[in-house]
Amino acid sequence: MAAMTDEPIRIRLFSTAGFTGHAYSQNVIAEVVGSERPEEIITIGGHLDSWDLGTGAIDDASGIGITTAALKLIADLPERPRRTIRVVWWGAEEVSQPAPAQGLAGARAYADSISDEAANHVAISESDFGAGPIYALGLPEGMGGTEFQRAAMRVLTPLGIVWDGAPARGGGPDTGPTVALGVPAFRLAQDGTDYFDVHHTVDDVIDRIEPENLDQNVAAWAALLWLIADSDVDFRAAAE
C-alpha cells in the first residue's frame, strides 16, 4: 500500500473499449397462442446481448433461459391457456446504452412494433437480475387482496415466495418502453445479493449459476403465467 503523501498521485489506465462501427441487432420472438383470446398478450423475456468480459451467464442468459423454459413447459401441456403468452429475447440492451437517447434499442423497437395494439397487451415482465431464487411477487396497483392475488400466492408460497404489497411499477429494463404505452407490469423479484459481484465482469460465467435456483425460477414463472393467461384478470381495471 502506498504511503500517505502530499505529492500528486498518477494513475495509468488501460482500456480496450472502442467504437468499431454500426451493426444490426434483432429481437427474437416466440409465443404460445391463446385458445380463446389470442389477441390478448402477456409478454415476458430477457435480453440477448451481454458484456464481453465474461459469457453473460448471469446477465442475461439466465433470464432468457428461465422465461423460455417456463413458456416451453406451458407449450408442452395438453391444453393451451386462453390468452397468448409471448417470450421476447430483446437485442441491444447493453451495447446501446446509455439511456434515454440511445438505450434499450431492442426494447424500443418492440414497443414501437406493438404500439397500435398496446391495449390488447395484458401484462409484461422480464427476468434480468441474475439467477438467484425468486423471493417475492409484485403485481400492478390495486391487486392486493384480490382473488387473483390470493390464487397466485397459493401457488407461489410453497416455492418460498412472499407477497410484496408495493405495486409493481416496472418489470425490468426492457419492459420500460412498453410500460410507457400503458401496459401493466408484474415482478418476480430475485435475490440479487451477489449479483453485482459478477455483473459485467469476467466472473459472469455459468459456474456462478445454481441449477436448483433456476428450477425454482422456472416453476414460479410457469405457474404465474398460466394463472394470468388462463384467467380473466384485468390489471388495468384494478388500478382504476
Side-chain angles (χ1 to χ4, degrees):
M1 180 177 294
M4 295 295 291
T5 175
D6 292 333
E7 296 296 320
I9 297 175
R10 302 181 68 182
I11 298 175
R12 178 173 294 175
L13 177 66
F14 177 74
S15 174
T16 59
F19 178 72
T20 59
H22 293 284
Y24 289 98
S25 184
Q26 63 284 314
N27 294 330
V28 179
I29 299 174
E31 59 188 24
V32 171
V33 177
S35 60
E36 295 182 14
R37 301 196 296 277
E39 73 284 359
E40 297 182 13
I41 299 169
I42 301 104
T43 302
I44 60 170
H47 65 84
L48 276 172
D49 57 323
S50 66
W51 281 46
D52 60 359
L53 296 174
T55 60
I58 294 291
D59 183 22
D60 184 32
S62 56
I64 292 281
I66 288 163
T67 51
T68 304
L71 185 61
K72 179 63 164 60
L73 286 177
I74 292 172
D76 289 343
L77 293 174
E79 296 182 5
R80 289 177 292 151
R82 288 184 282 170
R83 290 165 161 164
T84 294
I85 307 173
R86 175 180 294 170
V87 64
V88 182
W89 300 354
W90 284 284
E93 191 262 6
E94 303 282 11
V95 299
S96 62
Q97 291 183 5
Q102 300 171 326
L104 307 173
R108 292 175 187 276
Y110 177 75
D112 288 344
S113 73
I114 61 99
S115 59
D116 291 340
E117 56 187 48
N120 288 334
H121 283 244
V122 175
I124 188 168
S125 192
E126 177 181 24
S127 178
D128 185 18
F129 200 50
I134 294 169
Y135 68 89
L137 167 66
L139 292 175
E141 188 168 4
M143 290 304 299
T146 63
E147 178 53 38
F148 179 86
Q149 182 258 333
R150 291 191 291 269
M153 293 315 301
R154 285 195 293 270
V155 174
L156 298 179
T157 297
L159 296 174
I161 299 170
V162 301
W163 167 245
D164 181 355
R169 304 297 184 189
D174 289 289
T175 71
T178 300
V179 170
L181 298 176
V183 177
F186 64 92
R187 182 179 63 253
L188 286 166
Q190 291 171 292
D191 181 352
T193 302
D194 61 353
Y195 179 71
F196 289 105
D197 293 343
V198 300
H199 174 252
H200 292 182
T201 73
V202 295
D203 293 322
D204 186 357
V205 292
I206 197 169
D207 306 60
R208 293 283 184 166
I209 295 177
E210 299 291 341
E212 59 268 26
N213 290 340
L214 285 185
D215 290 343
Q216 187 254 15
N217 273 258
V218 172
W221 276 90
L224 182 62
L225 286 170
W226 178 268
L227 287 175
I228 298 173
D230 205 51
S231 74
D232 296 317
V233 64
D234 185 344
F235 292 132
R236 288 179 176 86
E240 294 176 355

